[in-house]
């Protein structure tokens, strides 16, 4: 099952792949599964244990693939099922496990079951799989819930007689109808989907909007703006507990010997206090949930320390992996240009900042990477973080794809800036993102890349051990061999200089990170194993982290 009673996911480093932006093998400007397959060697050299693929299923792409029209297929733009099977097989040869996304809160309005619901009459069994209601007055939706992407959470449908009729609920885009989890067809469908992917050899599932799914059957109005952590008519419902226990039973029923070992499921639970995660971590529930505290923490020692302490108190880090970024939030190399943690306003603030502070952001992101990878437990890295990619803030309005941009009438710039296709080469169309079979010129990438993207490319960093990529590769190599790293505990080393974040891990490891503005003396140590920037006799410069042997 594992080494010494431990399972692989407890300290795995998992690399998040946004397939449309990772690598394109057929030159159409959209990343695909063969592209990812051809770059597995890069991921093996980087040193990750698993990849998590965001949705690659057939989708009209109203929400970057999180609007799924078929849960058991590969979008033809991204490849075939044979490509997926080949990917899992090749990844296994590199000892890389594959985790796929499960999107159970909603589907796409192009899903055949939703089309059937639209074609059927109010009150029909087809409609009962979704949340259809009559309005509460002329032209008025059933309640006051708002979509996560802006506007009402209800859209009115046209009935068979051509007249406006019932409304359907969508917590996200209007084309993402919410499933009715109280209808037995829905859990049955998802059990099949879970088994379908586990049968194909995936090591786990990332559960989208895991705090959603069930809604209060009375669909009451929201009377006040609640924190994300508070139970609400559509968040953190008690019914989730039994559901996740049933999924856990399925996961545990899969063979746990050899590769890929015990299967995991990791829930996306957005919250603003870590206690919110507690019910999800109950015994027998989801094996893991994301811990977004480091995304929410600003660049201050106290904020980092609190983020780390609160998550450790909850789980010890193995069941709530650490994350600095993902496909929904502004990239760390840009986010740390501000001193505050991430909020939905961050992208707008970065746009307003123009070119200022770029160096500071990059330095801090390098230091944050060493903090992340020194923490006890598992960590997730979002593609491009290892290249230090900045958030792209100047995407023209007409090239933006995120529904958050459209539905807020451009008030929210959206999440496209962290989804720009990766630069693999210094020059050329798409900076090596797209290859063509005949060596011809590929199409332009589906989201425009900045003109200087090539300087962040894999090719321009590979040979330089001081590059971002060099830092990540060295850190991951050390993490694999150092007995103190991975699962375990940490002990804070109290410092009078409060700008120094400093902890020890046994045996013989110290992390020191300077989140202040003046150089700080290093704690007593034998050797500097790795540092995110130059360390001189004068101590640890601001915005720098070091791994030390004690
Ligand atoms: C999750 C995904 C996000 C998507 C949303 C709706 O938060 O990470 O990208 O827009 O769910 O599916």
């Amino acid at each position: 099952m594992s080494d010494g009673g431990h399972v692989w996911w407890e300290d795995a480093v998992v690399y998040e792949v946004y397939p449309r932006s990772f690598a394109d093998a057929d030159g159409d400007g959209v990343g695909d599964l063969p592209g990812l397959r051809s770059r597995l060697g890069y991921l093996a050299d980087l040193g990750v244990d698993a990849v998590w693929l965001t949705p690659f299923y057939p989708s009209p792409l109203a929400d970057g693939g999180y609007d799924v029209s078929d849960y058991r297929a590969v979008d033809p733009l991204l490849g075939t099922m044979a490509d997926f099977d080949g990917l899992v097989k090749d990844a296994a040869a590199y000892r890389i496990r594959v985790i796929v996304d499960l999107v159970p809160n909603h589907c796409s309005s192009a899903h055949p079951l939703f089309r059937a619901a639209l074609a059927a009459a109010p009150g029909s069994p087809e409609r009962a799989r979704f949340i259809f209601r009559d309005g509460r007055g002329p032209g008025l939706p059933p309640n006051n819930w708002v979509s996560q992407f802006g506007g009402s959470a209800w859209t009115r449908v046209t009935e068979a007689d051509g007249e406006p009729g019932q409304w359907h609920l969508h917590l996200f885009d209007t084309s993402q109808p919410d499933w009715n989890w109280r209808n037995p067809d829905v859990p049955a469908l998802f059990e099949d989907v879970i088994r379908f992917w586990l049968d194909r050899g995936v090591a786990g599932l990332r559960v989208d909007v895991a705090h959603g799914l069930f809604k209060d059957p009375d669909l009451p109005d929201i009377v006040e703006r609640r924190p994300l952590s508070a139970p609400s008519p559509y968040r953190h419902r008690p019914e989730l507990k039994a559901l996740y226990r049933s999924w856990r039973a399925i996961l545990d029923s899969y063979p746990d010997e050899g590769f890929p070992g015990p299967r995991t499921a990791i829930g996306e639970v957005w919250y603003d206090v870590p206690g919110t995660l507690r019910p999800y971590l109950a015994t027998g529930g989801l094996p893991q949930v994301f811990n977004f505290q480091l995304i929410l923490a600003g660049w201050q020692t106290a904020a980092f320390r609190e983020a780390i302490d609160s998550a450790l108190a909850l789980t010890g880090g193995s069941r709530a992996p650490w994350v600095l970024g993902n496909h929904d939030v502004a990239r760390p190399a840009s986010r740390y240009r501000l001193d505050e943690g991430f909020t939905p306003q961050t992208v707008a603030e970065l746009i307003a900042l123009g070119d200022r502070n770029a160096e500071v952001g990059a330095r801090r992101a390098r230091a944050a990477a060493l903090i992340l990878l020194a923490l006890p437990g598992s960590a997730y890295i979002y593609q491009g973080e290892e290249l230090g990619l900045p958030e792209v803030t100047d995407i023209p309005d007409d090239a933006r794809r995120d529904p958050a941009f459209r539905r807020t009438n451009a008030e929210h710039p959206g999440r496209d800036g962290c989804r720009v296709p990766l630069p693999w080469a210094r020059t050329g169309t798409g900076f090596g993102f797209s290859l063509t079979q005949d060596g011809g010129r590929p199409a332009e990438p589906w989201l425009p890349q900045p003109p200087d993207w090539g300087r962040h490319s894999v090719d321009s960093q590979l040979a330089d051990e001081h590059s971002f990529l060099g830092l990540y590769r060295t850190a991951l190599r050390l993490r694999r061999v150092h007995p103190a790293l991975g699962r375990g505990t940490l002990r804070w080393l109290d410092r009078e200089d409060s700008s120094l974040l400093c902890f020890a891990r046994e045996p013989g490891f110290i992390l020191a990170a300077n989140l202040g503005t003046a150089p700080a003396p290093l704690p007593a140590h034998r050797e500097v194993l790795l540092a995110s920037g130059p360390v001189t006799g004068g101590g640890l410069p601001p915005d720098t982290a070091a791994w030390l042997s004690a």
Side-chain angles (χ1 to χ4, degrees):
M1 136 177 200
S2 53
D3 57 302
H6 295 297
V7 294
W8 65 272
W9 45 258
E10 289 180 344
D11 64 356
V13 175
V14 183
Y15 185 91
E16 177 190 352
V17 171
Y18 194 77
R20 286 177 179 77
S21 300
F22 185 73
D24 165 26
D26 63 6
D28 64 358
V30 180
D32 45 37
L33 298 186
L36 168 57
R37 199 172 163 189
S38 73
R39 299 287 188 183
L40 285 170
Y42 167 79
L43 296 176
D45 288 345
L46 180 60
V48 301
D49 302 298
V51 289
W52 149 38
L53 274 63
T54 66
F56 51 84
Y57 317 115
S59 162
L61 290 185
D63 180 21
Y66 282 95
D67 46 322
V68 179
S69 55
D70 183 350
Y71 287 93
R72 295 187 196 84
V74 175
D75 190 313
L77 257 186
L78 272 64
T80 62
M81 200 51 93
D83 292 327
F84 181 81
D85 292 339
L87 171 70
V88 172
K89 186 166 143 278
D90 288 1
Y94 284 111
R95 308 294 296 170
I96 294 176
R97 295 172 168 88
V98 176
I99 294 173
V100 298
D101 222 300
L102 183 74
V103 189
N105 182 71
H106 46 264
C107 59
S108 160
S109 49
H111 192 287
L113 291 182
F114 188 72
R115 285 180 186 264
L118 285 183
S124 60
E126 288 84 355
R127 288 221 170 161
R129 297 190 187 109
F130 297 90
I131 302 182
F132 280 88
R133 290 288 187 282
D134 294 332
R136 64 168 149 199
L140 288 177
N143 70 21
N144 69 352
W145 297 3
V146 292
S147 149
Q148 184 79 27
F149 295 148
S152 170
W154 296 91
T155 291
R156 195 161 190 191
V157 304
T158 305
E159 302 292 359
D161 60 5
E163 294 297 317
Q166 287 197 301
W167 302 69
H168 77 83
L169 177 71
H170 52 87
L171 290 183
F172 293 89
D173 190 54
T174 172
S175 66
Q176 291 170 291
D178 281 43
W179 291 103
N180 173 15
W181 273 89
R182 296 176 193 283
N183 182 305
D185 288 357
V186 175
L189 176 119
F190 279 91
E191 275 200 32
D192 280 354
V193 172
I194 291 171
R195 290 183 196 280
F196 178 87
W197 292 105
L198 291 174
D199 286 341
R200 300 201 96 88
V202 307
L205 305 155
R206 177 265 189 187
V207 183
D208 189 57
V209 193
H211 52 264
L213 284 63
F214 286 94
K215 279 89 199 177
D216 182 327
D218 295 336
L219 303 175
D221 271 354
I222 300 283
V223 281
E224 81 229 56
R225 191 163 146 46
R226 298 162 201 247
L228 288 178
S229 50
S232 86
Y234 53 78
R235 228 187 264 128
H236 313 307
R237 303 284 308 167
E239 298 88 338
L240 289 170
K241 194 171 173 189
L243 178 70
Y244 292 149
R245 288 182 81 92
S246 72
W247 289 5
R248 179 65 176 264
I250 299 176
L251 295 169
D252 288 350
S253 74
Y254 275 75
D256 74 351
E257 273 162 32
F259 205 84
R263 315 301 160 109
T264 189
I266 176 158
E268 180 209 29
V269 177
W270 271 105
Y271 65 105
D272 41 19
V273 293
T276 323
L277 297 182
R278 203 177 301 277
Y280 295 89
L281 291 167
T283 316
L286 290 176
Q288 297 178 291
V289 286
F290 281 111
N291 146 31
F292 294 127
Q293 285 300 302
L294 288 179
I295 291 180
L296 301 173
W299 190 254
Q300 298 114 25
T301 321
F304 262 66
R305 192 165 166 159
E306 193 187 324
I308 294 167
D309 271 342
S310 55
L312 286 179
L314 208 58
T315 74
S318 290
R319 295 192 58 206
W322 309 97
V323 210
L324 293 176
N326 61 31
H327 65 284
D328 290 328
V329 301
R331 291 226 177 243
S334 293
R335 211 171 66 222
Y336 290 131
R337 296 163 66 193
L338 309 165
D339 288 338
E340 296 82 38
F342 176 81
T343 72
Q345 281 318 309
T346 301
V347 181
E349 286 172 32
L350 291 174
I351 292 174
L353 205 60
D355 291 338
R356 271 165 293 148
N357 283 358
E359 292 293 305
V360 173
R363 261 203 317 273
R364 291 177 176 176
R366 291 169 64 95
L370 290 197
I371 300 173
L372 176 92
L373 295 172
L375 287 166
S378 168
Y380 274 61
I381 298 171
Y382 173 47
Q383 68 179 38
E385 247 160 50
E386 82 281 16
L387 302 176
L389 292 187
E391 181 80 3
V392 179
T393 50
D394 58 359
I395 300 174
D397 285 0
D398 58 4
R400 290 195 177 271
R401 303 288 185 90
D402 188 357
F405 177 71
R406 187 172 28 86
R407 287 187 61 88
T408 60
N409 293 323
E411 195 188 306
H412 189 311
R415 301 162 294 178
D416 295 309
C418 64
R419 300 174 178 181
V420 173
L422 293 195
W424 292 89
R426 288 189 177 89
T427 57
T429 312
F431 299 100
F433 168 66
S434 295
L435 303 176
T436 51
Q437 299 305 321
D438 59 3
R441 188 186 163 89
E444 292 292 336
W446 68 279
L447 270 178
Q449 300 162 309
D452 69 346
W453 215 221
R455 81 188 162 91
H456 301 290
S457 65
V458 173
D459 282 355
S460 60
Q461 298 197 36
L462 210 48
D464 177 6
E465 63 171 306
H466 299 295
S467 65
F468 253 100
L469 183 56
L471 180 76
Y472 268 89
R473 282 162 60 118
T474 310
L476 288 171
R477 199 172 53 237
L478 274 173
R479 185 181 151 109
R480 283 208 165 164
V481 296
H482 200 297
L485 294 178
R487 63 177 78 84
T489 54
L490 65 72
R491 178 169 50 87
W492 291 108
L493 297 178
D494 285 327
R495 303 275 312 175
E496 280 169 30
D497 176 352
S498 66
S499 66
L500 203 66
L501 186 85
C502 202
F503 57 74
R505 301 201 52 193
E506 298 306 333
F509 178 91
I510 294 173
L511 173 284
N514 186 351
L515 283 73
T517 52
L522 279 173
H525 64 281
R526 283 195 295 126
E527 197 192 340
V528 176
L529 300 171
L530 181 63
S532 66
V535 176
T536 57
L540 197 60
D543 302 329
T544 307
W547 286 6
L548 310 169
S549 64

